[in-house]
């Protein structure tokens, strides 16, 4: 079967750094994406990794190691508004994408 | 403003009734998707369409049906055969098959079957 594993919950303090891991097992792999979803809202795209290495976008960075079938999302200088669910997603070929179950991030003051 | 619209935002239906959820996009995207999300869960793919008049089953297609008669529209019908239809339904679109293309999501429809 195909699966994406990520922690169900992470808690961090405002101003800190947090890393959300994602390991995947899929029949095809054409890139790892990350999405953010606030309660009751729609997921919004954060970042994409097609090749190994680190991609940085402001306070957010994302890393991919294809040999380890592993990636992570790094959030720096955490703010209260970062409290949300974060989903990793794998493009398995063409138009099809599989999403992980999501990691709920709680940011405390 | 380009985007995806879903209507209605909240929908209540009696058990045994079919219901159709609307999804429209004006982004000129080729692909459209329907996902189901249950509380505290991830997104599970119901159906997707790469082009007009063509669609593919996702991982949980049983009890659902779709049509793609226009590029802009991809309605989802939740039939009475769907055993547990109460959920949050998200529609998305994507420009092309390329991996780096992000999916754009609509605001969702929360369906409650009484």
């Amino acid at each position: 079967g195909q699966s994406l594993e990520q922690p169900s919950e992470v808690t961090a303090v405002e101003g800190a750094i947090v890393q959300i891991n994602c390991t995947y097992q899929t029949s095809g792999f054409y890139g790892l994406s990350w999405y953010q979803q606030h309660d009751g809202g729609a997921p919004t795209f954060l970042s994409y990794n097609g090749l190994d290495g680190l991609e940085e976008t402001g306070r957010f960075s994302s890393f991919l190691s294809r040999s380890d079938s592993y990636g992570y999302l790094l959030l720096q200088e955490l703010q209260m508004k970062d409290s949300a669910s974060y989903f990793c997603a794998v493009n398995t070929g063409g138009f099809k994408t599989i999403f992980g179950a999501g990691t709920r991030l709680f940011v405390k003051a | 403003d380009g985007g995806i619209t879903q209507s209605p935002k909240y929908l209540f239906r009696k058990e045994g009734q079919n219901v159709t959820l609307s999804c429209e996009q004006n982004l000129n995207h080729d692909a459209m998707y329907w996902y189901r999300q249950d509380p505290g869960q991830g997104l599970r793919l119901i159906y997707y369409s790469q082009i007009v008049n063509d669609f593919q089953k996702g991982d949980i297609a049983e009890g659902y049906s779709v049509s793609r008669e226009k590029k802009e529209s991809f309605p989802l019908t939740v039939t009475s055969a769907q055993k547990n239809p109460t959920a949050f339904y998200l529609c998305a679109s994507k420009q092309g098959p390329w991996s780096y293309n992000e999916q754009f999501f609509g605001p969702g429809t929360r369906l409650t079957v009484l």
Side-chain angles (χ1 to χ4, degrees):
Chain A
Q2 306 196 87
S3 66
L4 281 75
E5 299 289 333
Q6 50 181 131
S8 58
E9 282 187 12
V10 172
T11 301
V13 178
E14 202 174 10
I17 298 172
V18 70
Q19 179 174 314
I20 299 174
N21 299 322
C22 175
T23 56
Y24 58 87
Q25 189 172 8
T26 58
S27 56
F29 179 85
Y30 294 87
L32 181 71
S33 300
W34 289 90
Y35 289 79
Q36 178 191 60
Q37 184 184 31
H38 287 97
D39 282 348
T44 56
F45 173 82
L46 290 177
S47 70
Y48 166 79
N49 293 78
L51 300 174
D52 291 353
L54 191 68
E55 294 287 338
E56 296 179 79
T57 309
R59 294 187 298 114
F60 294 179
S61 303
S62 58
F63 172 82
L64 174 64
S65 169
R66 288 174 296 170
S67 60
D68 295 322
S69 298
Y70 163 77
Y72 66 72
L73 179 70
L74 192 73
L75 296 81
Q76 303 181 72
E77 301 172 16
L78 279 175
Q79 302 175 9
M80 297 299 289
K81 67 178 182 180
D82 297 328
S83 292
S85 292
Y86 293 84
F87 297 90
C88 58
V90 168
N91 182 303
T92 59
F95 288 92
K96 192 169 180 184
T97 299
I98 296 177
F99 284 79
T103 298
R104 194 167 177 86
L105 172 64
F106 296 95
V107 179
K108 301 190 301 184
Chain B
D1 274 343
I4 301 178
T5 57
Q6 290 184 245
S7 61
K9 189 170 179 64
Y10 297 95
L11 189 56
F12 297 87
R13 279 294 181 269
K14 291 184 179 178
E15 196 171 336
Q17 289 182 334
N18 290 357
V19 61
T20 297
L21 282 58
S22 167
C23 177
E24 304 277 330
Q25 56 102 356
N26 61 3
L27 300 167
N28 199 33
H29 285 175
D30 291 321
M32 296 188 74
Y33 303 79
W34 274 105
Y35 294 93
R36 170 181 172 139
Q37 186 174 35
D38 293 284
Q41 301 295 312
L43 284 68
R44 292 186 290 168
L45 182 63
I46 305 173
Y47 269 98
Y48 66 103
S49 168
Q50 304 173 19
I51 196 170
V52 173
N53 293 323
D54 182 63
F55 45 83
Q56 310 294 328
K57 290 183 179 179
D59 301 318
I60 56 165
E62 185 176 349
Y64 300 97
S65 65
V66 293
S67 63
R68 187 89 184 275
E69 297 176 2
K70 299 187 299 181
K71 189 175 185 178
E72 303 79 21
S73 178
F74 191 41
L76 172 75
T77 296
V78 184
T79 75
S80 56
Q82 168 50 233
K83 291 183 174 52
N84 185 18
T86 294
F88 187 47
Y89 291 87
L90 286 158
C91 178
S93 71
K94 183 178 172 184
Q95 185 175 23
W98 309 279
S99 303
Y100 55 83
N101 286 154
E102 65 182 273
Q103 290 193 23
F104 290 82
F105 286 83
T109 292
R110 193 167 298 278
L111 173 65
T112 302
V113 175
L114 306 171

